[in-house]
Amino acid sequence: MTRAVAEMERVARMFPDYADVLIPLGGFYMDQGDTNKAMALFAKLVSTSPDNPEVRYSYGLTLVFKGKIEQALHEFDAAIALDPNYNSAYYAAYYCLNQSGQHDRALGYIQRWVESHPNDTQAQQMLESARGRATRPPSGQPLPPPPQPNLP
C-alpha cells in the first residue's frame, strides 16, 4: 500500500488538478487512517473541481470521519444536486444521519431516492424497513393476509 500511495503521489504532483488520480489517493489516505491528509486533499479538490459529484461525495465521507456531520451533508447534497442519479450520496447521507440519531431526517434521503428511482427495489425495501412496516409487493397493493395454520 505504501508503494501504491507513493506512486499515486508522484502522479498527483505531475497532474495536481486531475481528480481521477486524486480521488483514489484520498481513499488510500483514508484506508491508512490519515484523515488529515485526505481532508486537505479533498478540500483542495472541492475548490478546483466544485462541479464533480464524486469529489463532493468523497469530501463528505472524510468530513463524516472527522465528526463534521452538517458539513458532510452539505457535500452530499452538493453531489446530489450535481448528479441526481448518484445513489452513493443519498445512502451516505442516510447512514450519516441515521448513525447520529436523526432517523426522520435520514429517512428523507432514502425517500427522495425511491421517489425518483421507483424501480430500485433494494432502496424500496430499505425504506420500508426503516419505516418499520412490512414490505409491499411491487404492484403497490397491500400484502395478502397470512395463511391460516393447518392444524389437525
Side-chain angles (χ1 to χ4, degrees):
M1 175 73 98
T2 304
R3 204 158 181 223
V5 169
E7 183 60 22
M8 291 201 65
E9 287 175 335
R10 185 184 70 77
V11 173
R13 284 189 299 275
M14 293 173 12
F15 305 101
D17 296 328
Y18 190 48
D20 289 344
V21 170
L22 297 174
I23 291 170
L25 177 58
F28 284 147
Y29 289 153
M30 292 295 291
D31 290 344
Q32 290 181 324
D34 197 342
T35 54
N36 290 330
K37 267 190 179 177
M39 179 79 83
L41 178 79
F42 289 128
K44 178 184 176 227
L45 269 176
V46 165
S47 70
T48 60
S49 302
D51 295 334
N52 184 323
E54 192 174 2
V55 166
R56 305 304 290 264
Y57 165 76
S58 298
Y59 187 41
L61 290 179
T62 307
L63 289 163
V64 169
F65 277 93
K66 291 296 221 176
K68 299 179 178 188
I69 304 300
E70 291 304 318
Q71 288 174 298
L73 290 170
H74 174 77
E75 295 304 322
F76 297 144
D77 287 337
I80 291 167
L82 291 165
D83 181 358
N85 294 315
Y86 194 27
N87 66 347
S88 295
Y90 289 89
Y91 288 123
Y94 168 79
Y95 286 116
C96 170
L97 287 167
N98 202 41
Q99 290 299 311
S100 70
Q102 300 179 56
H103 306 293
D104 290 338
R105 194 170 167 204
L107 196 60
Y109 281 91
I110 296 303
Q111 194 166 355
R112 281 176 38 210
W113 175 258
V114 168
E115 287 170 1
S116 60
H117 299 84
N119 294 329
D120 187 336
T121 56
Q122 183 178 0
Q124 288 175 351
Q125 290 172 350
M126 178 186 267
L127 178 61
E128 291 298 325
S129 175
R131 286 180 174 163
R133 294 193 309 224
T135 306
R136 298 192 179 277
S139 66
Q141 299 299 314
L143 291 171
Q148 297 299 317
N150 192 9
L151 299 175

